[in-house]
Amino acid sequence: MKRRVRLWLVTVLSVAMVIGLLLGAMCNTKTGIAANKVSVTPAGQFPIVTTRVTLSAFIPQLPEVTDLANNDFTKWLEQKTNVHLNIVAVPYDSASDKAKLMLGSGDYPDIFMYNFSNFDILNYGMNEKIFIPLNSYIDKYGYELKKAFKEIPTLKQDMTAPDGKIYGIPQINQCYHCQAVKAWINVKWLKDLGLKMPTTTAELEKVLIAFKKYKPGAIPFSGATQTWAAEPHWWLMNSFIYCDGGVTNTFLYVKNGKVDTCANKQEYKEGLKYINKLYKEGLIDKAAFTQKEDQLKQLGSRGVLGAFAAGHLAMGIPIDDPKLKDYDVLPPVKGPKGIAYARWVDTSRVQGAAFVITNKCKYPEVAFRLGDFFYNDECTNRLYFGPKGKTWDTAGPNDKGLFHGKPYPAKFKLLTPSGQSLPAGNYRWSQIGPFRMDALKRAGWAQDWSDIYGPAGYEIRLEIATEKYKPFAPKELLYTAWADLATMNEIAKLQVPLQNYIQQSTLEFITGKKDIEKNWNAYVKQLEKLGIAKYIKLYQKAYDITMKKK
């Protein structure tokens, strides 16, 4: 009898232990904290784990990075954290398609270090539950992220989905000069011709006429396609109505809290007439609508550019070309009604996520601590630029940084002059994965103030140019970080056909393929057929939801 009791007790205890082990291996679905126990060190301490943990990671590979698995930054990261990455390296250009295929198939890694949109977060996070919420991990293990929340007031708000959860860690890249989309003008030619900087569309036309006659082969106004904001017609349109063409390409604006489109307005039509006139007079380079950035730069090297649109000056004039000093920023010019806007992108706000943890991950607390570490100064610097002492170092006592065109205390310095490419080599990831390069961190990078017109002082020139554009920024910007999934789905369906039609029709009006007077009404009617009214309404809803989160 005693033996039977002992056997029964052993059996019960064995079953209890098995059940306990099974329950222990399961994830707490309420908190998202997994019970796969490893020895994780406290927040901010390293290594992250005492025994090495391997995580599978989807990481896009840029052309300048030859081998992510054997990359210097990858090796340094493992040495620092004791976390080994089993990397699924995907060419950058095909990363979007590959990520969607993997997520759709159910065969995906522990983490993705890929720039997902807010739409993706709603879909794969809130809807499909593939991306896990990070809130509980932030509370327990957050270190760099908590510091960022304190120092960047809008960050937590921008990262929080409509359900109150945070599903990923974004890239923070608050590039001040990137906010204003600019044009550049040959001030040497202005001086030689005895002309002043144009301030109106009428004055600009006169300057371009003079430029055309300045020298054989002179090109008054040029630009490029398939690059950063270098199409001249979008810059010119902002003398008539605010238009984000060439930048965010929504063709929408906000006035007194109301969303509307520029594309069907009389002011847009008047802008088309002006640009078409310049085109017919040979004042806008016909090649500007088809040529690439390198072709624009060849024109700059030949010394035939009077003015051009471009996100930054060195897109048209090589950074080491002495002619770089001959150019200055061309501020927005006022149209007949006194309108002059700068296309403005608020880089202080973030969207999407560059680091997410999936529901396949057995060690989410380890994965989170790894993602959190990417906001660390040294980690961001190594990811972005490479090893300390090779491409960057600690700033010296006499070094000065740059904040809004003015000197600022420097913390770090690049060992490659500003504007010049970093040395070739497999030593960094470049701008892949999460990193923190906010306004004040960028300001702490030393600049060469001895010659702001040379390559070493290039960044200073760009910020001074941005200060000249700041008064022309619109008072309200269309910022639509979040909406419900259905609304964002509908926006996505309408947006591409509308974008394509507006862009194509705009070029046809400018080049004369379509007659502005004869074909304008038909163009407006087609916008209506493509759903422009619904498109505006949906963006208004998304804008209102985003603004209410403030």
Side-chain angles (χ1 to χ4, degrees):
M1 182 71 181
K2 289 182 179 180
R3 190 179 173 206
R4 287 181 183 177
V5 171
R6 283 199 298 269
L7 287 171
W8 179 80
L9 284 170
V10 169
T11 302
V12 169
L13 288 171
S14 298
V15 170
M17 286 175 67
V18 169
I19 292 172
L21 288 169
L22 287 171
L23 289 172
M26 296 171 79
C27 176
N28 185 328
T29 54
K30 289 183 180 180
T31 64
I33 297 181
N36 285 290
K37 293 297 181 182
V38 291
S39 182
V40 182
T41 55
Q45 293 186 23
F46 294 91
I48 291 172
V49 284
T50 53
T51 303
R52 191 176 78 162
V53 168
T54 296
L55 300 174
S56 55
F58 178 102
I59 307 176
Q61 184 167 300
L62 289 163
E64 63 264 31
V65 179
T66 54
D67 183 359
L68 277 170
N70 294 299
N71 186 277
D72 288 349
F73 174 72
T74 308
K75 293 176 181 178
W76 174 83
L77 189 66
E78 180 171 341
Q79 290 171 357
K80 180 75 176 179
T81 64
N82 210 17
V83 178
H84 174 73
L85 294 180
N86 184 11
I87 295 175
V88 180
V90 180
Y92 182 81
D93 291 341
S94 60
S96 177
D97 292 338
K98 182 67 175 176
K100 289 175 183 176
L101 283 171
M102 293 180 77
L103 289 164
S105 71
D107 184 14
Y108 47 82
D110 298 323
I111 58 177
F112 280 84
M113 285 195 243
Y114 165 75
N115 280 330
F116 287 107
S117 67
N118 282 5
F119 178 85
D120 294 325
I121 293 170
L122 290 174
N123 188 27
Y124 299 117
M126 283 179 59
N127 186 38
E128 297 191 21
K129 314 297 183 187
I130 293 174
F131 300 163
I132 68 170
L134 304 181
N135 302 57
S136 57
Y137 301 108
I138 294 171
D139 291 342
K140 185 173 181 179
Y141 294 109
Y143 184 76
E144 297 294 343
L145 201 51
K146 284 181 179 178
K147 286 199 296 184
F149 286 160
K150 289 180 181 178
E151 294 164 9
I152 307 172
T154 57
L155 180 61
K156 189 172 184 178
Q157 170 194 328
D158 290 348
M159 289 172 61
T160 304
D163 64 355
K165 296 174 181 175
I166 293 172
Y167 289 92
I169 302 173
Q171 289 183 349
I172 303 174
N173 195 8
Q174 296 178 351
C175 169
Y176 182 66
H177 78 79
C178 301
Q179 295 189 113
V181 184
K182 308 173 186 69
W184 309 88
I185 192 166
N186 194 320
V187 289
K188 181 179 183 300
W189 286 14
L190 285 177
K191 185 178 179 181
D192 291 348
L193 292 163
L195 298 170
K196 294 181 180 180
M197 183 73 74
T199 58
T200 66
T201 50
E203 290 175 1
L204 178 62
E205 183 178 1
K206 290 178 181 177
V207 165
L208 297 181
I209 290 170
F211 280 179
K212 187 178 179 182
K213 300 174 181 177
Y214 178 74
K215 63 187 290 188
I219 298 172
F221 205 130
S222 193
T225 62
Q226 298 180 37
T227 187
W228 177 30
E231 295 162 306
H233 52 293
W234 299 128
W235 186 88
L236 292 163
M237 182 60 74
N238 279 272
S239 294
F240 297 83
I241 189 170
Y242 185 77
C243 176
D244 70 348
V247 188
T248 44
N249 290 313
T250 64
F251 299 100
L252 301 173
Y253 61 89
V254 183
K255 188 174 183 179
N256 299 322
K258 298 298 180 184
V259 178
D260 205 348
T261 181
C262 62
N264 62 4
K265 299 294 182 289
Q266 186 64 29
E267 292 90 343
Y268 195 85
K269 183 181 178 182
E270 293 304 312
L272 290 173
K273 288 181 181 179
Y274 174 75
I275 303 167
N276 170 253
K277 184 172 183 283
L278 298 184
Y279 181 86
K280 287 192 294 187
E281 292 175 353
L283 304 179
I284 295 178
D285 184 10
K286 291 182 179 180
F289 305 112
T290 56
Q291 70 186 1
K292 306 293 176 55
E293 182 183 329
D294 59 340
Q295 293 169 299
L296 174 66
K297 199 172 291 186
Q298 288 171 20
L299 297 177
S301 297
R302 284 166 44 198
V304 295
L305 283 180
F308 60 95
H312 65 91
L313 178 56
M315 291 168 64
I317 310 295
I319 189 73
D320 55 354
D321 193 316
K323 290 188 287 294
L324 199 74
K325 297 182 179 182
D326 295 340
Y327 289 81
D328 201 355
V329 71
L330 172 60
V333 294
K334 293 181 180 180
K337 294 183 179 179
I339 292 170
Y341 283 114
R343 284 171 293 169
W344 201 267
V345 181
D346 186 0
T347 60
S348 70
R349 308 303 296 266
V350 300
Q351 292 197 37
F355 183 97
V356 296
I357 305 171
T358 74
N359 55 10
K360 295 283 184 76
C361 185
K362 293 181 180 179
Y363 306 105
E365 67 278 19
V366 177
F368 170 76
R369 280 221 50 209
L370 180 73
D372 179 79
F373 179 53
F374 275 75
Y375 276 10
N376 170 271
D377 278 352
E378 184 176 7
C379 191
T380 284
N381 293 352
R382 283 178 176 269
L383 176 145
Y384 208 95
F385 299 113
K388 184 178 181 181
K390 178 177 180 178
T391 54
W392 65 278
D393 213 330
T394 304
N398 297 321
D399 289 325
K400 295 178 181 177
L402 171 68
F403 185 69
H404 292 196
K406 296 178 181 179
Y408 186 84
K411 188 174 182 180
F412 305 110
K413 63 180 178 182
L414 280 174
L415 303 181
T416 301
S418 176
Q420 292 188 16
S421 299
L422 291 169
N426 192 42
Y427 57 86
R428 64 189 183 116
W429 284 7
S430 191
Q431 296 184 42
I432 293 295
F435 56 80
R436 182 182 172 186
M437 196 66 78
D438 55 274
L440 291 181
K441 284 188 181 286
R442 290 181 71 107
W445 284 88
Q447 303 292 330
D448 186 349
W449 287 85
S450 62
D451 180 12
I452 68 170
Y453 292 99
Y458 184 64
E459 189 85 9
I460 301 170
R461 286 190 72 184
L462 295 181
E463 290 219 359
I464 291 173
T466 303
E467 285 293 297
K468 293 180 180 179
Y469 266 59
K470 198 172 182 179
F472 299 95
K475 293 180 180 179
E476 298 171 87
L477 289 171
L478 180 63
Y479 181 67
T480 54
W482 296 106
D484 58 274
L485 189 60
T487 298
M488 295 184 81
N489 251 321
E490 288 189 82
I491 287 174
K493 289 176 184 177
L494 290 171
Q495 187 155 306
V496 173
L498 280 165
Q499 284 176 336
N500 290 342
Y501 182 67
I502 292 167
Q503 290 168 333
Q504 179 184 339
S505 298
T506 297
L507 286 178
E508 289 175 344
F509 283 132
I510 290 169
T511 59
K513 189 174 181 180
K514 282 184 178 179
D515 185 279
I516 297 172
E517 291 297 342
K518 292 180 181 178
N519 300 115
W520 176 257
N521 290 339
Y523 158 74
V524 172
K525 286 181 181 178
Q526 183 60 24
L527 287 177
E528 293 168 359
K529 287 181 182 178
L530 289 171
I532 191 74
K534 185 178 181 182
Y535 177 66
I536 294 168
K537 186 177 179 181
L538 290 166
Y539 256 103
Q540 182 72 61
K541 182 180 178 181
Y543 177 77
D544 290 343
I545 290 171
T546 301
M547 292 300 104
K548 283 177 183 177
K549 288 184 72 207
K550 282 190 171 183

